[in-house]
Amino acid sequence: MKNSLVKHAKDVAKQKGFAINKLLYQADYYTKDHPRNVIYDGIYQGNKAVLKVYSDPRVTDEPISLTAFNKANKSTILKAPAVFAYEIESPHTGWMIVEQLPEGGHFFKTPLSLQSRDEFLSVYKEYKKNFPKKPTRPLRLAEYLPAEEFHHARIIRWFELAHNKEAASKEQVLAPSEFIPRYLKALSLIEREFKGRKMEWIHGHFKPAELYKASNNTYYLLDFAHTHLFPEGYELAFMIWAELLKQGADYKKSYSEWRESIFEWVLVLEPIAKELGIKRYSDYMRAALTERTLGTLLADVTATDEKPHSKKEKIARLYHLLDDLS
């Protein structure tokens, strides 16, 4: 499957006159047999440019979302790459050729230092001021769901990923007697706390790896493949997930140190949540982190190609966090 995506990228490059230089990045949808995108740098119509070809199980229209942000954005310090050409081939597949990032800069990396975290959050505030407040395309069916049901639908999808992975590998890492009671309790908490909360139009993937700082102190936001209506404040818990929970995060700390880092973020984000108008912040974040922890358990750990013994170690830690949150 990965070879077919690479072949398609080379076909697009040939057809559109994009001269490939080198492969920059390739991403998978949880497992190596499900490639999600390939990204090349090169030259397009005399400009340094990047070609991204994607095939995503999720519905996405990244070129349109990126173009809409560029049209609405008034910030003098936060930008996104200009779109030179694109084609949306289906709700799941397509390609785009965009401006190459300026040389000499760097991406933000996790774990963030205290100084980098302050800078990252200041850029987040700038993004919130300049991102479109209303949807820039017709809404999809799931975006009409109430906030609690939106979360529930996504969790069911992650549950199916984990279920299918365990069936295919014939290796059970989620012991039903331990997982199912926690799962049902977590769903109940999420439903109770998100009921009645509003949905908001957001980038959907605001994290350090998607933010590039150029040498002239201009910032570039990337990856508009997840722009969507989400329950209010979704990005706050998402930041914590990106820093401390997701696949590839540092699980080497003791549980107490790791937990302390999570709740330090909760405290740091509280003033921003207040600015965003999020009510009952403590209860809200408890439920939001529960949603992120379930997603990590099901999709980022169980549904991946990681070795079973490593999965079980992470699962035990995530169970501990779920118990603390409940």
Side-chain angles (χ1 to χ4, degrees), residues 17-245:
F18 180 90
I20 291 176
N21 178 22
K22 63 181 178 181
L23 177 69
L24 288 178
Y25 182 75
Q26 55 189 31
D28 301 319
Y29 186 67
Y30 298 112
T31 57
K32 292 179 180 179
D33 59 340
H34 287 90
R36 181 164 55 90
N37 62 57
V38 290
I39 303 175
Y40 294 90
D41 80 342
I43 301 294
Y44 177 72
Q45 296 183 350
N47 299 303
K48 291 183 177 180
V50 170
L51 168 65
K52 179 176 182 178
V53 178
Y54 60 88
S55 177
D56 200 313
R58 299 159 295 194
V59 174
T60 180
D61 58 359
E62 181 172 12
I64 291 176
S65 295
L66 173 53
T67 300
F69 172 72
N70 282 334
K71 184 177 180 181
N73 181 31
K74 305 299 182 185
S75 175
T76 59
I77 64 168
L78 177 64
K79 299 181 179 182
V83 179
F84 295 146
Y86 73 88
E87 182 180 352
I88 295 177
E89 300 163 331
S90 80
H92 301 278
T93 61
W95 59 266
M96 62 181 186
I97 299 173
V98 302
E99 173 189 14
Q100 191 178 116
L101 295 171
E103 295 180 0
H106 65 272
F107 284 95
F108 283 69
K109 295 181 180 179
T110 54
L112 293 167
S113 66
L114 294 180
Q115 181 178 349
S116 293
R117 184 174 67 189
D118 289 344
E119 184 179 8
F120 173 75
L121 292 177
S122 71
V123 179
Y124 174 72
K125 292 180 182 179
E126 183 73 6
Y127 142 76
K128 293 300 284 185
K129 291 176 186 176
N130 288 280
F131 199 79
K133 300 297 187 291
K134 295 181 179 179
T136 55
R137 56 158 172 78
L139 294 181
R140 300 170 189 143
L141 187 60
E143 292 169 307
Y144 287 95
L145 288 169
E148 73 277 13
E149 294 300 332
F150 177 85
H151 274 322
H152 188 213
R154 276 163 45 96
I155 292 166
I156 289 294
R157 174 161 56 84
W158 299 327
F159 188 103
E160 185 176 3
L161 286 173
H163 170 85
N164 291 343
K165 181 62 177 179
E166 290 203 333
S169 65
K170 300 178 182 179
E171 182 89 39
Q172 189 173 74
V173 294
L174 287 175
S177 61
E178 296 181 351
F179 175 70
I180 296 299
R182 289 182 170 95
Y183 175 76
L184 295 175
K185 189 174 183 179
L187 287 182
S188 179
L189 171 61
I190 291 166
E191 179 179 5
R192 184 171 66 250
E193 186 51 44
F194 277 93
K195 192 174 184 65
R197 289 192 180 272
K198 66 181 181 179
M199 300 284 283
E200 61 175 352
W201 184 250
I202 61 172
H203 172 269
H205 226 239
F206 196 97
K207 59 178 179 151
E210 314 296 9
L211 195 61
Y212 180 86
K213 183 179 181 181
S215 57
N216 65 354
N217 293 325
T218 299
Y219 303 89
Y220 286 79
L221 181 60
L222 307 181
D223 195 358
F224 286 73
H226 311 269
T227 301
H228 207 281
L229 270 185
F230 282 88
E232 63 173 341
Y234 171 83
E235 290 161 321
L236 302 183
F238 183 86
M239 291 176 194
I240 299 175
W241 167 84
E243 182 83 350
L244 293 159
L245 274 75

Side-chain angles (χ1 to χ4, degrees), residues 293-306:
T293 306
L294 272 188
T296 306
L297 269 167
L298 291 166
D300 297 312
V301 177
T302 306
T304 68
D305 292 324
E306 197 169 348

